[in-house]
């Protein structure tokens, strides 16, 4: 599978700014087939900072990439970036999740998006209160301006890295504040499985609940070492 240009660019920013390096993914989770769609999973780690999980999928009519940045010993938000292309139509989604109030959403609010086709995302989810910032853009198959959309992704990633670099340290495992944050993230991840989440519902067709929890805990959100 060939990594898309925008995904390469985002990962290069994270590598450069946060020192993230490739890390192991258990063999059983490196390739996951969901309803005939092959997902490739990889992971990067910035020591004492964050986990970066990547999922890619590519078929003749659809391709997608998802990046999830989860804080370790940093008081920082969980960040999700999705890009989906179906029959030439592309959707870009950038989300920020915070578990102790809205402390970082304002860092993203002035990213230029004039001329980008913005779409609302439903806030009728159990986790809506945790999502403090979200932007969803949709580009039709015959519309130009791809570079402008990907420029938004670049700036969004830059600001995320800046937040992580400037965020206060929470200490090592066993530190009360650090463990509390990890617990909240784990509750959110397991909540997607138990209460519902758009992508999670799809993966339930390929894994049992226990397998999915293990995948989330050890790879996607890395709340368990």
């Amino acid at each position: 599978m060939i990594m898309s240009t925008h995904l390469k660019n985002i990962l290069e920013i994270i590598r450069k700014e946060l020192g993230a390096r490739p890390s192991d993914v258990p063999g059983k989770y490196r390739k996951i087939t969901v309803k005939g769609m092959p997902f490739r999973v990889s992971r990067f780690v910035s020591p004492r900072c964050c986990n970066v999980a990547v999922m890619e999928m590519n078929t003749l009519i659809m391709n997608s990439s998802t990046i999830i940045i989860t804080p370790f010993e940093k008081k920082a938000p969980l960040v999700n970036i999705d890009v989906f292309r179906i029959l030439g139509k592309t959707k870009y989604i950038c989300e920020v999740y915070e578990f102790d109030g809205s402390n970082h959403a304002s860092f993203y609010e002035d990213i230029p998006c004039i001329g980008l086709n913005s779409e609302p995302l439903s806030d009728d989810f159990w986790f809506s209160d945790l999502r403090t910032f979200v932007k969803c853009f949709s580009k039709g198959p015959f519309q130009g301006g791809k570079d402008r959309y990907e420029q938004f992704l670049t700036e969004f990633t830059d600001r995320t890295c800046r937040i992580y670099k400037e965020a206060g340290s929470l200490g090592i495992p066993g530190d009360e504040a650090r463990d509390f944050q990890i617990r909240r993230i784990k509750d959110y991840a397991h909540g997607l499985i138990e209460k519902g989440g758009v992508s999670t519902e799809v993966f339930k067709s390929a894994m049992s609940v226990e397998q999915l929890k293990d995948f989330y805990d050890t790879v996607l959100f890395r709340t368990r070492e």
Side-chain angles (χ1 to χ4, degrees), residues 111-130:
I111 301 177
C113 56
I114 296 175
L116 303 185
N117 184 25
S118 180
E119 288 187 353
L121 275 184
S122 173
D123 60 359
D124 188 23
F125 293 108
W126 66 268
F127 54 76
S128 294
D129 289 345
L130 301 175

Side-chain angles (χ1 to χ4, degrees), residues 4-18:
S4 63
T5 301
H6 83 270
L7 181 55
K8 286 182 180 178
N9 291 341
I10 290 173
L11 292 176
E12 177 59 22
I13 293 170
I14 296 171
R15 183 202 66 76
K16 181 180 178 181
E17 297 297 324
L18 299 180

Side-chain angles (χ1 to χ4, degrees), residues 1-2 24-43 54-58 203 206-207 211 215 219-220:
M1 186 181 295
I2 300 174
D24 288 339
V25 172
K28 60 184 175 180
Y29 296 136
R30 289 174 191 163
K31 293 181 181 179
I32 303 171
T33 300
V34 181
K35 295 185 176 180
M37 298 181 292
F39 286 83
R40 186 177 72 175
V41 181
S42 55
R43 192 170 75 90
V54 180
M55 288 197 300
E56 307 165 70
M57 186 275 293
N58 191 15
F203 276 87
M207 298 183 190
Q211 286 174 321
F215 175 51
V219 179
L220 217 57

Side-chain angles (χ1 to χ4, degrees), residues 42-60:
S42 55
R43 192 170 75 90
F44 302 81
V45 168
S46 174
R48 300 289 304 276
C49 183
C50 62
N51 183 74
V52 182
V54 180
M55 288 197 300
E56 307 165 70
M57 186 275 293
N58 191 15
T59 66
L60 289 175

